[in-house]
Amino acid sequence: MSVVELNAVARALVAPGKGILAADESSPTIKKRFDAISTESTEETRRSYREMLFTTVGASEHISGVILFDETLRQSTRDGIPFPQYLSSQGMVPGIKVDKGTKDLSNFSDEKVTEGLDGLSGRLTEYRELGAKFAKWRAVIGVGDGVPTDFCILANAHALARYAALCQEVGLVPIVEPEVLMDGGHDIVRCEKVTNAVLAITFDQ
C-alpha cells in the first residue's frame, strides 16, 4: 500500500460524523460479558455476536471502521463471506488489534508496558493478507504517587513507535493509542500535564 493509499484509509477512518467500532474483545473479556447474560462463550456464539453487530442495518452510516480480534478476522458471516470482505463491501474499514496486552513493567511498581512486538512483522503481513487495512496498539499510562515515571512513558512510547513503523512497512494504517488513565485521586491539571508529556514523547519517538 502506497502512502497515498495509507492516507486514504486514515481519512476514511476519521470521516465526519462517524466513529470506530471496537469489536476486539479478547476471548476472556467477551466470556465475562456472555456470563452476565448466561450465554456460553464458544467460537460460534462469538462469531454470531460479531455478525449481529456488523450486519445491523444502517451500521455503515455511523461506523467508519471496525477493530477486530484475531479470531474474528478469520471468521465469516453465516453466508460464508469473510468478515473483512463483508465490512469492506459495506463501506466499513476492517482493522485488527495487534498488541498482546499490558504486563507489569519490571522494577517499576504499579506501572505497565504493552507487549506484542515479538513476531509482530509476520503477524501484520498475515493480517494484511486476510483483509485488514489498519491496526491498533494500546499503551496504558497510570497516574498516581510518583507515577508515571519517565522510563515508563519512554518504554511505551518506543513500543508504539516501533509498532507504527512496522505497520506502515507492510501497508497498514497504525492507530497509536497512548491512553492516560483517568482513574485515581489526581485532578484535571495533573492529568493534562501527564497527557502532554506522554504525547510529546510519543511523537518524538
Side-chain angles (χ1 to χ4, degrees):
M1 188 181 289
S2 68
V3 173
V4 173
E5 292 172 311
L6 287 170
N7 187 54
V9 171
R11 288 185 178 278
L13 289 172
V14 295
K18 293 187 177 184
I20 297 173
L21 172 64
D24 60 336
E25 304 98 330
S26 65
S27 296
T29 298
I30 203 168
K31 181 181 184 304
K32 294 178 183 177
R33 297 186 179 183
F34 282 0
D35 286 346
I37 57 172
S38 301
T39 299
E40 184 181 4
S41 179
T42 66
E43 183 176 350
E44 174 53 28
T45 56
R46 293 190 294 271
R47 187 210 64 76
S48 180
Y49 168 65
R50 265 61 181 259
E51 179 174 14
M52 176 189 69
L53 296 176
F54 305 158
T55 60
T56 298
V57 176
S60 62
E61 297 175 20
H62 309 283
I63 298 173
S64 59
V66 180
I67 306 170
L68 304 172
F69 187 59
D70 181 277
E71 177 185 72
T72 315
L73 185 71
R74 304 172 191 278
Q75 292 177 327
S76 303
T77 66
R78 69 188 66 174
D79 297 325
I81 304 173
F83 280 147
Q85 182 180 329
Y86 176 81
L87 291 169
S88 293
S89 72
Q90 299 300 305
M92 294 180 281
V93 184
I96 179 71
K97 171 189 175 182
V98 299
D99 69 70
K100 294 292 186 179
T102 61
K103 302 293 182 184
D104 291 337
L105 182 60
S106 298
N107 298 319
F108 287 82
S109 177
D110 300 324
E111 295 195 280
K112 304 287 184 179
V113 66
T114 302
E115 297 189 337
L117 288 173
D118 290 346
L120 180 58
S121 181
R123 288 191 290 124
L124 290 174
T125 299
E126 180 185 17
Y127 291 149
R128 180 79 175 89
E129 293 171 351
L130 288 170
K133 295 183 180 178
F134 73 95
K136 187 203 81 166
W137 179 292
R138 173 176 173 260
V140 177
I141 309 295
V143 182
D145 186 19
V147 298
T149 60
D150 290 343
F151 183 81
C152 174
I153 296 175
L154 183 60
N156 280 288
H158 182 68
L160 283 165
R162 287 183 61 192
Y163 142 78
L166 288 169
C167 281
Q168 293 174 80
E169 192 173 71
V170 303
L172 292 174
V173 171
I175 288 183
V176 177
E177 185 182 357
E179 180 182 359
V180 176
L181 299 179
M182 294 183 290
D183 309 59
H186 57 286
D187 59 20
I188 194 171
V189 175
R190 177 91 193 282
C191 187
E192 179 185 22
K193 182 178 179 180
V194 172
T195 299
N196 286 339
V198 169
L199 292 178
I201 293 174
T202 299
F203 273 104
D204 182 64
Q205 288 296 303

Short mmCIF file of all heavy atoms in Angstrom, two decimals, residues 97-103 113-116 137-138:
data_model
loop_
_atom_site.label_atom_id
_atom_site.label_comp_id
_atom_site.label_asym_id
_atom_site.label_seq_id
_atom_site.Cartn_x
_atom_site.Cartn_y
_atom_site.Cartn_z
N LYS A 97 -6.64 -5.61 16.18
CA LYS A 97 -5.87 -5.33 17.38
C LYS A 97 -4.64 -6.22 17.36
O LYS A 97 -4.74 -7.43 17.19
CB LYS A 97 -6.70 -5.65 18.63
CG LYS A 97 -5.90 -5.59 19.93
CD LYS A 97 -6.70 -6.13 21.09
CE LYS A 97 -5.84 -6.18 22.34
NZ LYS A 97 -6.56 -6.74 23.50
N VAL A 98 -3.46 -5.62 17.53
CA VAL A 98 -2.24 -6.42 17.42
C VAL A 98 -1.40 -6.48 18.69
O VAL A 98 -0.46 -7.28 18.78
CB VAL A 98 -1.35 -5.93 16.25
CG1 VAL A 98 -2.09 -6.06 14.93
CG2 VAL A 98 -0.90 -4.50 16.46
N ASP A 99 -1.71 -5.65 19.70
CA ASP A 99 -0.91 -5.74 20.93
C ASP A 99 -1.35 -6.96 21.72
O ASP A 99 -2.43 -7.51 21.53
CB ASP A 99 -1.04 -4.46 21.76
CG ASP A 99 -2.41 -4.27 22.37
OD1 ASP A 99 -2.76 -5.03 23.28
OD2 ASP A 99 -3.14 -3.36 21.94
N LYS A 100 -0.48 -7.41 22.63
CA LYS A 100 -0.72 -8.60 23.43
C LYS A 100 -1.11 -8.26 24.87
O LYS A 100 -1.02 -9.10 25.76
CB LYS A 100 0.53 -9.48 23.43
CG LYS A 100 0.88 -10.07 22.07
CD LYS A 100 -0.14 -11.09 21.61
CE LYS A 100 0.28 -11.78 20.33
NZ LYS A 100 -0.70 -12.79 19.90
N GLY A 101 -1.55 -7.03 25.08
CA GLY A 101 -1.99 -6.63 26.40
C GLY A 101 -0.85 -6.09 27.26
O GLY A 101 0.32 -6.10 26.87
N THR A 102 -1.22 -5.60 28.43
CA THR A 102 -0.23 -4.99 29.32
C THR A 102 0.32 -5.99 30.32
O THR A 102 -0.36 -6.92 30.75
CB THR A 102 -0.85 -3.81 30.09
OG1 THR A 102 -1.96 -4.29 30.88
CG2 THR A 102 -1.35 -2.74 29.13
N LYS A 103 1.57 -5.75 30.68
CA LYS A 103 2.25 -6.56 31.70
C LYS A 103 2.93 -5.60 32.68
O LYS A 103 3.18 -4.44 32.35
CB LYS A 103 3.32 -7.46 31.06
CG LYS A 103 2.78 -8.41 30.00
CD LYS A 103 1.86 -9.47 30.58
CE LYS A 103 1.37 -10.42 29.50
NZ LYS A 103 0.41 -11.41 30.02
N VAL A 113 3.58 -1.98 30.81
CA VAL A 113 4.11 -1.82 29.47
C VAL A 113 3.35 -2.79 28.57
O VAL A 113 3.00 -3.90 29.00
CB VAL A 113 5.63 -2.10 29.41
CG1 VAL A 113 5.95 -3.56 29.73
CG2 VAL A 113 6.21 -1.71 28.05
N THR A 114 3.05 -2.36 27.36
CA THR A 114 2.30 -3.21 26.44
C THR A 114 3.25 -4.09 25.65
O THR A 114 4.28 -3.62 25.14
CB THR A 114 1.47 -2.34 25.47
OG1 THR A 114 0.58 -1.51 26.23
CG2 THR A 114 0.65 -3.21 24.53
N GLU A 115 2.91 -5.37 25.55
CA GLU A 115 3.76 -6.32 24.85
C GLU A 115 3.16 -6.72 23.51
O GLU A 115 1.99 -6.44 23.23
CB GLU A 115 3.97 -7.57 25.72
CG GLU A 115 4.70 -7.27 27.03
CD GLU A 115 5.09 -8.53 27.78
OE1 GLU A 115 4.43 -9.58 27.56
OE2 GLU A 115 6.04 -8.47 28.57
N GLY A 116 3.98 -7.36 22.68
CA GLY A 116 3.48 -7.84 21.40
C GLY A 116 4.39 -7.57 20.22
O GLY A 116 4.05 -7.86 19.07
N TRP A 137 -2.85 -0.44 18.59
CA TRP A 137 -1.97 -0.82 19.70
C TRP A 137 -2.22 0.17 20.83
O TRP A 137 -2.13 1.38 20.65
CB TRP A 137 -0.51 -0.76 19.25
CG TRP A 137 0.51 -1.12 20.31
CD1 TRP A 137 0.82 -0.40 21.44
CD2 TRP A 137 1.38 -2.25 20.30
NE1 TRP A 137 1.82 -1.02 22.13
CE2 TRP A 137 2.19 -2.17 21.46
CE3 TRP A 137 1.57 -3.32 19.44
CZ2 TRP A 137 3.17 -3.12 21.76
CZ3 TRP A 137 2.53 -4.26 19.73
CH2 TRP A 137 3.32 -4.16 20.89
N ARG A 138 -2.55 -0.36 22.01
CA ARG A 138 -2.89 0.49 23.16
C ARG A 138 -1.84 0.39 24.24
O ARG A 138 -1.48 -0.69 24.69
CB ARG A 138 -4.25 0.06 23.72
CG ARG A 138 -4.67 0.73 25.02
CD ARG A 138 -6.08 0.27 25.38
NE ARG A 138 -6.51 0.74 26.69
CZ ARG A 138 -6.49 0.01 27.79
NH1 ARG A 138 -6.05 -1.24 27.74
NH2 ARG A 138 -6.91 0.50 28.95
#
